[in-house]
Structure formats: structure tokens, C-alpha cells
């Protein structure tokens, strides 16, 4: 009898220790979310959002709920444990960032604090570590110049806790970061081992320099990582995409670079940042894919396989992964790929918004 009581007490203790947002979670099959977006003159003019299930071979369109009456666009920041973090390009300070659970159909607005900044003028990230956190970083010009009389720039970081519902400044996060201009977020973001990575542009009156910004959420340190060097003089870079890659059993951040020759032929290179040589981080090229005679867009990596896309299909070296619905939008397009797990835990103080999903499209 005592043994049964002890086991019951141990079970209760485990439940008490589990954070609130995990009490109602139910882990199910892993899915992928494909964000296909169109742009004209570098401005996003439309999105198609799809839920991809590789096991059942179905592709289902999702519709992001409207949190305001604004017709401005949005940017999907990240997916984490069943929640999507989305930045809405609205002038309403109470709804520029919100969380969305497509499974429970709930949304929760994250109240902003001045100054009101949206991508690409700031970097936004979303991750989980015993709580859900949203982080944002923006650069500003320091009033005093450096010893050579050049303009100096600094960065400010803030973190939002979902359980507390508050923003807090991340103090001292940029002690070793030297900026030569304002930061602009240019591509997607990935999280590897509680470190967030963004592709960003450093811009001032004289330079426009692209690099990767990382944020170690455990130590609250933000750093700058240089891109791998393109050794091909006859090709130009046309696309970049951050990915997560498993290199020798270790999860690493990777970078897909698409190069194009003068003859419009394309290659994809996959680089991985890892501690290959005595603990020193460096870029290693792990895959070269090509050449392609038709337009290819890197999407991401799934089980260490690079996925590419045209307007009508998603494919890899092994063959076609999915057929995409045709549309009449004659504009440039790009893709982001996010891992997604269906989870039914509720968002506290959330809103339930009805939306409809279109019928499924079949994979090949």
C-alpha cells in the first residue's frame, strides 16, 4: 500500500513540475509548414500557406486569421511546439505580433511597447525554454562617434515572456558586437540548441554588408558571423536560406546559397557552421547540387535533404515531393519551410478565430 502511495505522490510531483503550457499538450505526427510568398520591387504582395504531411501525402492550404482590419501583410517568424509566431504589418500597437495555434484555432496578441518597429527594421525570434519567449533586436545610431570620428551604432534587445506577459530589456547582450551601420533583416530565421540565427544586412552611407546575426538565449549574447566566401568569380549569388542540418550526429546551423552563371544556370551549395577543427567554428561545404537549367528556389532541409521548388512543384534529388496549385500571379516568389507539431494546449487569454482551410492537394 505504501508503495502505491509513493508512486502516486511521485506522479503528482511530476505534474506539478511541468510548466502550465505543457499540461494539455498531445504530441502527434510531425508536419511541415510551407510559406510561399510573392513580391514586387522587394515588397511582399501575397502569401500562400500550406500544411504538408509527408506520411499521408496531403497538402492542405491554411489561412492565417485576421487579428486586425488592416490589409497590410505579415511575416511568419518561427514555429515552436505547435505555435506560430507571426508579425503583422499593422499600425495597431496591440497586434503587430501574435501567436497562433492552427490546431486549437486560438490566437494571442503580444502587446508592443514603443518604439514600434517591424521587420526588416528589427530582428524578431521565437523559441521555447521552460516558457515561450519572443525576442526582438533593433539598431540605433549612438550620439557620440568613435575615436576616428566615424558614426557608431549599437543594438537594443528585448525579451517577451508568454507566462508573465511582459517585455524585459536584455542588458549587456551586445558587449562584443561592433556594428558599422543599421541592421535590416533580409531572410528567414532558425533556432539551433536555443541559439537563434538571422540573415541580416549592415547598412550605412558607404557600405551594405550581409552577414548572420546569432543570439545565444542561454547566455544572452548576440554575435556577428561572416558568410562563407564565394570562390566562383563567374557566378553571382541570387538566394540564401538558413537551415538546420545534422552534421555527424550534431545539430548545426546551415546555409543554402544559390549561385547563377551568366548563362542562367544554377547551383545550390550547402554550408554548415561547426566545430570541425579543435573547437574553432568554421564553414564547411557539405553538398553541391546542380547544375539546373530552370529556375530553382531553395526551401529548406528535411531530414538532411535539400528541398527545392519551382512555381508548380517541390522536389529534391530523389524526385518530386509535392505538387503546388497553379495561380495567375506573375511575380517573383520565394519560400520558407518550418517544422510543425500539432499540439492542443490552450493559450491563456486567447481569442478563438474561425477560419477555413481549402481542400487537400495530392502529393506525388
Amino acid at each position: 500500500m505504501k508503495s502505491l502511495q509513493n508512486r502516486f505522490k511521485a506522479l503528482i510531483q511530476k505534474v506539478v513540475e511541468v510548466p502550465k503550457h505543457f499540461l494539455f499538450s498531445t504530441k502527434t505526427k510531425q508536419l511541415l509548414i510551407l510559406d510561399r510568398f510573392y513580391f514586387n520591387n522587394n515588397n511582399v504582395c501575397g502569401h500562400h500557406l500550406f500544411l504538408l504531411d509527408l506520411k499521408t501525402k496531403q497538402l492542405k492550404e491554411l489561412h492565417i486569421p485576421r487579428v486586425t482590419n488592416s490589409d497590410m501583410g505579415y511575416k511568419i517568424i518561427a514555429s515552436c511546439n505547435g505555435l506560430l509566431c507571426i508579425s503583422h504589418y499593422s499600425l495597431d500597437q496591440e497586434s503587430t505580433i501574435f501567436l497562433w495555434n492552427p490546431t486549437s484555432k486560438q490566437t494571442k496578441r503580444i502587446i508592443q511597447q514603443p518604439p514600434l518597429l517591424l521587420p526588416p527594421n528589427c530582428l524578431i525570434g521565437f523559441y521555447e525554454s521552460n516558457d515561450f519567449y519572443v525576442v526582438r533586436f533593433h539598431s540605433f545610431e549612438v550620439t557620440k562617434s568613435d575615436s576616428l570620428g566615424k558614426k557608431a551604432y549599437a543594438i537594443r534587445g528585448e525579451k517577451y515572456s508568454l507566462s508573465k506577459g511582459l517585455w524585459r530589456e536584455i542588458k549587456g547582450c551586445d558587449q562584443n558586437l561592433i556594428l558599422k551601420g543599421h541592421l535590416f533583416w533580409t531572410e528567414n530565421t532558425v533556432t539551433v540548441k536555443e541559439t537563434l540565427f538571422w540573415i541580416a544586412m549592415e547598412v550605412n552611407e558607404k557600405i551594405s554588408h550581409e552577414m548572420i546575426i546569432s543570439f545565444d538565449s542561454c547566455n544572452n549574447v548576440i554575435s556577428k558571423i561572416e558568410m562563407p566566401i564565394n570562390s566562383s568569380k563567374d557566378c553571382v549569388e541570387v538566394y540564401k536560406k538558413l537551415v538546420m542540418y545534422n552534421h555527424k550526429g550534431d545539430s548545426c546551423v546551415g546555409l543554402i546559397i544559390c549561385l547563377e552563371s551568366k548563362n542562367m544556370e544554377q547551383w545550390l551549395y550547402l554550408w554548415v557552421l561547426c566545430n570541425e577543427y579543435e573547437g574553432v567554428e568554421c564553414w564547411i561545404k557539405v553538398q553541391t547540387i546542380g547544375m539546373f537549367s530552370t529556375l530553382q528556389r531553395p526551401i529548406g532541409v528535411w531530414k538532411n535533404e535539400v528541398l527545392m521548388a519551382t512555381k508548380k512543384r517541390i522536389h529534391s534529388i530523389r524526385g518530386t515531393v509535392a505538387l503546388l496549385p497553379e495561380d495567375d500571379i506573375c511575380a517573383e516568389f520565394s519560400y520558407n519551410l518550418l517544422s510543425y507539431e500539432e499540439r492542443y494546449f490552450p493559450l491563456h487569454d486567447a481569442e478563438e478565430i474561425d477560419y477555413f482551410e481549402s481542400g487537400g492537394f495530392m502529393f506525388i
Side-chain angles (χ1 to χ4, degrees):
M1 185 67 179
K2 289 184 177 180
S3 176
L4 182 60
Q5 290 177 344
N6 291 336
R7 281 189 291 177
F8 181 74
K9 289 181 179 179
L11 177 62
I12 294 298
Q13 182 65 28
K14 288 182 179 180
V15 172
V16 171
E17 292 174 353
V18 174
K20 290 181 179 179
H21 53 268
F22 287 115
L23 291 179
F24 299 95
S25 64
T26 303
K27 188 173 182 179
T28 60
K29 57 189 175 184
Q30 283 216 347
L31 304 168
L32 297 178
I33 287 182
L34 174 68
D35 180 20
R36 179 175 64 177
F37 48 96
Y38 306 88
F39 50 92
N40 280 322
N41 299 322
N42 296 323
N43 294 319
V44 175
C45 60
H47 283 261
H48 277 159
L49 198 66
F50 301 100
L51 192 64
L52 289 74
D53 188 335
L54 296 177
K55 290 184 178 180
T56 61
K57 297 184 178 180
Q58 287 186 341
L59 177 66
K60 184 167 56 177
E61 187 172 2
L62 296 177
H63 296 279
I64 290 184
R66 295 176 64 92
V67 295
T68 69
N69 293 325
S70 172
D71 291 327
M72 300 174 72
Y74 61 86
K75 183 179 181 66
I76 298 180
I77 307 300
S79 171
C80 182
N81 280 331
L83 294 181
L84 294 181
C85 180
I86 301 170
S87 176
H88 192 279
Y89 292 91
S90 169
L91 300 178
D92 182 359
Q93 292 191 11
E94 295 186 356
S95 61
T96 52
I97 298 178
F98 69 96
L99 302 181
W100 174 40
N101 187 334
T103 304
S104 65
K105 300 183 180 181
Q106 288 182 314
T107 62
K108 180 177 177 60
R109 302 183 186 187
I110 295 178
I111 297 177
Q112 291 280 323
Q113 294 174 339
L116 180 62
L117 292 174
L118 295 171
N121 296 300
C122 71
L123 315 178
I124 302 178
F126 179 55
Y127 70 99
E128 183 271 327
S129 179
N130 296 322
D131 191 0
F132 287 103
Y133 296 98
V134 177
V135 292
R136 64 180 179 186
F137 299 95
H138 69 271
S139 58
F140 59 93
E141 186 177 335
V142 181
T143 53
K144 294 182 180 179
S145 302
D146 61 14
S147 57
L148 300 177
K150 297 181 180 179
K151 291 182 179 180
Y153 298 84
I155 193 167
R156 175 185 171 91
E158 296 169 303
K159 180 188 294 187
Y160 176 87
S161 165
L162 179 60
S163 63
K164 297 179 181 178
L166 296 173
W167 287 95
R168 299 290 187 188
E169 183 179 356
I170 308 173
K171 296 183 179 180
C173 63
D174 63 336
Q175 291 182 353
N176 299 318
L177 182 69
I178 299 176
L179 291 178
K180 298 179 181 179
H182 286 293
L183 283 180
F184 293 92
W185 184 9
T186 63
E187 251 299 341
N188 63 318
T189 179
V190 299
T191 302
V192 181
K193 297 178 181 177
E194 298 187 15
T195 298
L196 289 72
F197 299 86
W198 298 266
I199 297 178
M201 190 76 73
E202 189 179 37
V203 179
N204 63 27
E205 296 89 344
K206 297 181 179 180
I207 65 168
S208 179
H209 177 62
E210 195 172 35
M211 70 281 184
I212 295 174
I213 296 293
S214 69
F215 173 66
D216 183 344
S217 64
C218 296
N219 300 310
N220 286 340
V221 174
I222 191 166
S223 307
K224 183 165 58 174
I225 302 171
E226 294 298 329
M227 297 281 190
I229 299 175
N230 175 22
S231 58
S232 178
K233 297 181 180 180
D234 298 327
C235 297
V236 295
E237 295 180 359
V238 290
Y239 288 100
K240 292 186 178 76
K241 189 74 62 177
L242 283 172
V243 297
M244 185 185 299
Y245 191 83
N246 191 301
H247 181 64
K248 297 181 179 180
D250 190 24
S251 296
C252 303
V253 63
L255 180 67
I256 300 176
I257 298 180
C258 179
L259 297 180
E260 188 174 78
S261 68
K262 295 179 180 179
N263 299 325
M264 305 299 289
E265 297 168 336
Q266 291 186 336
W267 288 264
L268 294 181
Y269 295 119
L270 175 58
W271 296 81
V272 172
L273 185 66
C274 58
N275 299 324
E276 188 77 6
Y277 304 105
E278 298 180 356
V280 178
E281 283 193 335
C282 61
W283 290 104
I284 297 176
K285 189 187 295 182
V286 294
Q287 287 190 38
T288 300
I289 306 173
M291 94 189 137
F292 302 108
S293 59
T294 58
L295 183 64
Q296 305 287 326
R297 304 297 170 98
I299 295 178
V301 170
W302 173 249
K303 294 184 177 180
N304 272 22
E305 190 168 355
V306 177
L307 299 184
M308 299 160 283
T310 64
K311 287 189 176 182
K312 296 182 180 180
R313 68 187 183 113
I314 305 169
H315 65 98
S316 66
I317 295 299
R318 297 180 183 179
T320 299
V321 176
L323 292 179
L324 294 168
E326 295 186 20
D327 52 63
D328 297 326
I329 299 179
C330 298
E332 291 292 319
F333 62 97
S334 190
Y335 294 85
N336 281 330
L337 187 71
L338 304 98
S339 296
Y340 178 73
E341 295 181 7
E342 290 181 330
R343 294 191 180 259
Y344 292 90
F345 62 82
L347 285 168
H348 299 290
D349 301 323
E351 302 175 17
E352 291 192 11
I353 299 180
D354 293 331
Y355 60 94
F356 297 93
E357 299 173 355
S358 66
F361 298 91
M362 294 305 297
F363 281 22
I364 285 183

